[in-house]
Amino acid sequence: MEQRTYLHHFLSPSKMAKDALFYIESVGHYQCDKSFYEDSYYQQNYYLIYVISGKGYICSQNEKITVLPGQLAFIHLSEPYKYYPHKKDPWEILWIYFGGKDADWFYQLITGKSKVIFTLSATSRIPCLLKDIYNLNSDKDSFFEIRTSNLINTLLTDLYIESKKENSNTKTLPFEYPNPVNTVINFIEQNYFRKITLDELSSITYLSTYYLLRLFKKYTGYTPGEYINKYRLDFSKKLLLEPELTIKQIALNLGFNTHSYFSKLFRQSTGLSPEQFRNSHMR
C-alpha cells in the first residue's frame, strides 16, 4: 500500500499578531489517502489549499467543485465546507489556515464572495510562497510572525493580480513577428514581476544579445528593457483603478524596485503621477 504523509504545524499566534498582522494557526503539506475527509472542522478564518498533484473535491457555498493540480481554493470557514480527495487519485496539497485584520478585506476583493477556485499560471509564485510559509513555521526565529505576515500579504496580492489576469482576454501576438520575438514577448508577460536580464532572454532564444536587441527593436520598436517597462506600466493602469491596492503594493508586485522609480517612469509615460492617474479615473 502506498504510504501517505501528513506534515503540519499548529501555531498559537501572539496577541500582537492577531491585532496587527496576518497570522497562521496551522499549515501543512498533505499527501492524502482515500480516507482523508474534513467537514467544517474550523468555524472561522480562512483556508488556502493548493493542489500539487492528484485531484479532489471542495464543497463550499452549496457547490461541489473538482479541484485539480495547479489550482488554489480560497475558503471562508464561517460557512459550512467539506474537502476530500478522489478515491482513485488522491491529491497532494499545500495549505494554510490563517486569519488577520485584513483577511476578510482580501477575501472579498479576490473572490467577490463567490469565486473560490483559481487556476494559477505556470510561473505563479504562490506555490513557492506557501512552501516558504511552511518552512518558516518549521524553524521559527524571533521574527517569524512578522515574516509570515509579509509572505501572506505577498501571496494574497499575487492571487488578486492573477485573478484579474485570468479574467482578462489573452493578448494575441501579431503573426508577422519572428519566433524569437514571440518567445521574448511571451516570456516577459509571464515573468514581468521579477528581474529579467538580456542574457536570460538571449539564452531562451539561442541568439546573441546583440542580434536579439536588433531583431526585437526592428519588429516591436522597443528594446526588451523598454518593452518590459511598457508592459508593466500598461498593466499598472488596470490595477490603479482598484482603490484597495496601494501605489507601493502595485509597484513592488509589478517588478519595480521602488515606488519612486515606478512613479518616475509612470509620469514619463503618461504625464501624470500614479496618484493623479488614479484620482482622475475614480471621480
Side-chain angles (χ1 to χ4, degrees):
M1 179 180 295
E2 185 177 359
Q3 185 177 2
R4 298 295 178 173
T5 56
Y6 299 89
L7 305 174
H8 55 247
H9 306 291
F10 294 100
L11 291 303
S12 296
S14 67
K15 184 177 185 303
M16 181 272 291
K18 285 195 168 185
D19 288 345
L21 304 173
F22 290 109
Y23 58 88
I24 293 289
E25 297 212 50
S26 62
V27 55
H29 180 182
Y30 283 3
Q31 194 174 25
C32 302
D33 60 23
K34 63 182 181 180
S35 66
F36 180 86
Y37 186 87
E38 183 171 317
D39 184 356
S40 299
Y41 182 79
Y42 296 111
Q43 303 296 317
Q44 61 181 1
N45 288 331
Y46 302 87
Y47 255 145
L48 282 172
I49 302 170
Y50 173 70
V51 180
I52 300 172
S53 63
K55 61 182 178 180
Y57 307 98
I58 288 178
C59 302
S60 178
Q61 300 178 350
N62 298 316
E63 184 178 7
K64 178 181 176 181
I65 306 169
T66 302
V67 191
L68 302 171
Q71 293 187 315
L72 181 86
F74 194 173
I75 307 174
H76 195 319
L77 302 180
S78 64
E79 302 290 337
Y81 70 92
K82 300 176 186 176
Y83 76 98
Y84 52 94
H86 188 277
K87 292 188 180 299
K88 294 184 179 180
D89 187 17
W91 56 20
E92 180 182 0
I93 57 175
L94 280 166
W95 56 268
I96 60 173
Y97 168 46
F98 76 101
K101 67 183 185 68
D102 293 326
D104 187 64
W105 176 79
F106 263 110
Y107 176 81
Q108 307 286 344
L109 179 68
I110 293 168
T111 69
K113 299 183 180 181
S114 59
K115 182 174 181 178
V116 298
I117 306 298
F118 301 87
T119 300
L120 304 185
S121 67
T123 56
S124 174
R125 296 186 294 178
I126 291 173
C128 290
L129 290 168
L130 287 168
K131 291 177 185 176
D132 289 344
I133 292 169
Y134 178 86
N135 292 332
L136 184 61
N137 287 273
S138 301
D139 305 311
K140 298 185 287 290
D141 61 21
S142 301
F143 305 102
F144 83 96
E145 285 190 321
I146 293 176
R147 296 182 197 276
T148 296
S149 180
N150 182 57
L151 288 173
I152 294 173
N153 184 75
T154 300
L155 188 159
L156 293 173
T157 303
D158 274 20
L159 182 57
Y160 172 73
I161 292 172
E162 289 217 21
S163 70
K164 284 292 183 182
K165 291 183 71 176
E166 186 179 341
N167 292 333
S168 64
N169 293 327
T170 302
K171 178 182 177 182
T172 302
L173 296 174
F175 71 93
E176 67 270 18
Y177 282 179
N179 284 337
V181 176
N182 282 339
T183 297
V184 169
I185 290 176
N186 281 323
F187 186 85
I188 289 171
E189 295 184 359
Q190 293 296 318
N191 295 274
Y192 64 90
F193 52 80
R194 65 173 181 83
K195 182 178 179 180
I196 301 173
T197 67
L198 186 57
D199 285 341
E200 189 174 19
L201 298 178
S202 176
S203 69
I204 65 171
T205 57
Y206 304 100
L207 300 176
S208 70
T209 55
Y210 174 73
Y211 184 71
L212 176 60
L213 273 172
R214 289 185 59 194
L215 186 70
F216 196 86
K217 178 83 171 181
K218 175 182 177 181
Y219 282 92
T220 68
Y222 301 95
T223 67
E226 290 169 343
Y227 189 92
I228 291 167
N229 283 334
K230 177 182 180 299
Y231 182 80
R232 289 169 173 168
L233 290 171
D234 287 345
F235 193 20
S236 74
K237 293 173 186 176
K238 299 178 184 178
L239 299 181
L240 286 167
L241 300 182
E242 301 294 337
E244 296 86 358
L245 289 175
T246 67
I247 306 297
K248 183 177 180 180
Q249 283 176 320
I250 292 170
L252 295 180
N253 282 280
L254 287 178
F256 293 103
N257 291 331
T258 64
H259 171 197
S260 60
Y261 181 58
F262 165 57
S263 296
K264 176 183 177 181
L265 291 182
F266 194 92
R267 185 182 288 276
Q268 289 175 352
S269 174
T270 66
L272 300 171
S273 70
E275 292 84 355
Q276 290 170 331
F277 179 89
R278 167 173 277 174
N279 291 338
S280 68
H281 287 79
M282 297 300 291
R283 292 172 183 169

